Amino acid sequence: GEIWKGAAKDCTDAIFISVGTGIGVGILSGNQILRGKSGISGAVGWVALEPPFKDKYKTCGNFEYYASGNGIARSAVELLRDYENETAFKSIPLTQLTSYDVFRAYGENDPVAIKVIDKAILYWGMAVANLVSIFNPEKVIFGGGVFGPAARFINRIKKEAEKWAQPLSIKETSIEISALGGDAGLIGAGYLAIKSIKEK
């Protein structure tokens, strides 16, 4: 969708990072979408960013555990269980807490929310750096439901990525927010359908 109508238009090498309930990427390299042997290329939720390995990472991976929408909410709940001071979450049952509650609390300078979001920003930046160093894309584009409220952190993500990435590659890479928002997947599906018809 972004290649056809959005932020990756005219790119031959681009990466789309979708951050929602989980985290996945679409990789365009040399004008080809990478799918992998079993079609699961781009499962970056399992990118390892912080040792040691913990059993809780088995179902979604280290990156996704902390930096997806579900991960942000889960991290806040884990911290709140041990937090004794008053927080912006006091009126929300822990079982109902969402990432949007965490972003709202961040805007109120809540210490738990700040800790959770700061870790997510670190992880997003490190993941970008790893992808940039491996694939040397023209653009890295963030989308999905979390971006959204996390779009305001794009400059901090860029600064974090610059610390870790291959220095020449990161200078050639633009890090942006999706131009299509929640419609990116729908537009992409439309493009694939049109392409399939034309190829017959």
Side-chain angles (χ1 to χ4, degrees), residues 4-196:
W4 186 32
K5 295 288 186 181
K9 203 170 181 180
D10 300 323
C11 289
T12 60
D13 294 81
I15 294 172
F16 182 84
I17 304 177
S18 179
V19 185
T21 303
I23 303 177
V25 303
I27 303 164
L28 180 74
S29 182
N31 232 12
Q32 298 293 316
I33 293 174
L34 302 185
R35 293 183 172 85
K37 181 180 181 298
S38 304
I40 55 173
S41 176
V44 295
W46 275 264
V47 167
L49 297 173
E50 182 183 321
F53 176 79
K54 298 176 183 177
D55 283 343
K56 63 186 182 180
Y57 301 151
K58 284 182 178 178
T59 56
C60 64
N62 172 226
F63 179 29
E64 188 172 303
Y65 190 89
Y66 293 108
S68 65
N70 282 356
I72 287 167
R74 179 171 44 235
S75 295
V77 168
E78 287 179 358
L79 287 174
L80 285 165
R81 285 188 177 128
D82 297 325
Y83 198 78
E84 295 178 357
N85 298 323
E86 190 171 293
T87 73
F89 302 103
K90 61 184 177 182
S91 62
I92 305 167
L94 294 185
T95 55
Q96 296 176 23
L97 193 123
T98 69
S99 62
Y100 291 96
D101 296 319
V102 182
F103 285 114
R104 179 189 52 76
Y106 183 94
E108 299 172 13
N109 294 316
D110 180 84
V112 170
I114 289 170
K115 189 169 184 177
V116 169
I117 297 298
D118 283 353
K119 183 162 188 171
I121 291 168
L122 170 66
Y123 270 33
W124 292 327
M126 291 174 72
V128 167
N130 290 338
L131 291 165
V132 166
S133 299
I134 295 166
F135 294 105
N136 187 208
E138 299 164 68
K139 291 188 176 184
V140 173
I141 300 156
F142 276 94
V146 170
F147 284 84
R152 61 183 137 161
F153 304 121
I154 197 70
N155 288 332
R156 288 182 60 190
I157 295 167
K158 287 178 185 178
K159 287 180 182 176
E160 195 60 48
E162 287 166 358
K163 296 176 191 174
W164 299 89
Q166 201 287 330
L168 295 177
S169 189
I170 195 68
K171 285 178 182 175
E172 296 175 341
T173 304
S174 174
I175 302 171
E176 304 177 10
I177 300 298
S178 169
L180 303 177
D183 293 331
L186 183 63
I187 292 168
Y191 172 74
L192 290 175
I194 292 166
K195 186 179 177 184
S196 175

